[in-house]
Amino acid sequence: LTGTIPSSIYNLTNLLSLTLSSDFLSGTIGTEIGNMRSLTSLNIAINAANVDALGANLVGTLPTEIGRLIYLERLMIMGAFLPGTIPVELNNLTSLIVLSLGYNFFTGTIPPLASLHQLNLAVFAYNQLTGGVPSELGSLVSLQDLMLQGQFGESAGLTGSLPPSLCDLIQNQGTNIYVTCLEDFICDCGCICSL
């Protein structure tokens, strides 16, 4: 697929899985994505080596309407370089097992995704996120891997310390939490340090 995401794709309301993986995908993710309520998997991945150099990149933000996809088990938006904040409406996706939002330009804070009790993998790495890590993530007892490393940009970077509730997940369940060692972020309970 090259060019923009066709608007007709949003009419596929019975579609279970949508993968848009391309070197040449551009345009926006339409708000109509919320109409695709049968989706269990949404994967939008861009080959970062071709972004801008070939005119390939998504613009706009991750639409809040994505929170209407209540059967979604896998949401992977990787390397799309989407700006804006991570919608708090993701908290409505209570069937989510994998949330992978790495390699974008997301700003602001990580939303308190306390309703995602089935979440096994959460990737927020390589964005421009700021602030602390919400303690609500510590209530996600299925969480095995949380990737927070690589926040970049002039004023980006996680601050504070890892909440005790997440330290409990490390110590009691063996959850892996990845952080960047050079940020103003303290993890003194067994995080995995990456540069």
Side-chain angles (χ1 to χ4, degrees):
L1 181 65
T2 61
T4 61
I5 300 171
S7 59
S8 59
I9 209 162
Y10 302 122
N11 295 328
L12 302 173
T13 57
N14 293 321
L15 191 68
L16 298 177
S17 179
L18 176 61
T19 297
L20 300 172
S21 180
S22 172
D23 291 343
F24 306 103
L25 195 59
S26 61
T28 62
I29 300 172
T31 58
E32 302 89 351
I33 191 91
N35 298 336
M36 302 180 77
R37 295 193 183 181
S38 296
L39 277 181
T40 60
S41 178
L42 175 59
N43 181 6
I44 299 175
I46 308 295
N47 181 347
N50 292 332
V51 171
D52 286 332
L54 299 173
N57 64 335
L58 289 175
V59 295
T61 59
L62 186 59
T64 59
E65 289 80 3
I66 211 154
R68 297 195 321 223
L69 306 178
I70 60 171
Y71 298 109
L72 210 56
E73 295 175 357
R74 288 173 179 73
L75 174 59
M76 297 163 285
I77 313 251
M78 297 287 292
F81 297 99
L82 286 177
T85 58
I86 298 171
V88 71
E89 287 81 2
L90 294 183
N91 209 29
N92 298 335
L93 306 179
T94 57
S95 298
L96 213 56
I97 297 168
V98 174
L99 174 61
S100 187
L101 300 176
Y103 295 93
N104 286 289
F105 289 137
F106 290 125
T107 56
T109 59
I110 298 170
L113 302 172
S115 297
L116 307 184
H117 297 292
Q118 297 184 59
L119 195 64
N120 186 271
L121 170 67
V123 179
F124 299 104
Y126 302 103
N127 281 287
Q128 297 177 349
L129 298 170
T130 56
V133 176
S135 62
E136 290 86 352
L137 294 180
S139 69
L140 305 179
V141 295
S142 296
L143 191 63
Q144 290 300 304
D145 293 287
L146 174 60
M147 304 182 85
L148 303 169
Q149 75 271 27
Q151 303 307 318
F152 60 90
E154 192 172 303
S155 61
L158 298 175
T159 57
S161 61
L162 195 70
S165 59
L166 280 166
C167 286
D168 289 345
L169 286 182
I170 291 173
Q171 294 164 354
N172 299 329
Q173 293 184 201
T175 299
N176 299 310
I177 299 179
Y178 301 84
V179 298
T180 301
C181 304
L182 303 176
E183 293 177 351
D184 293 330
F185 183 76
I186 299 168
C187 178
D188 54 7
C189 61
C191 289
I192 298 169
C193 193
S194 87
L195 296 176

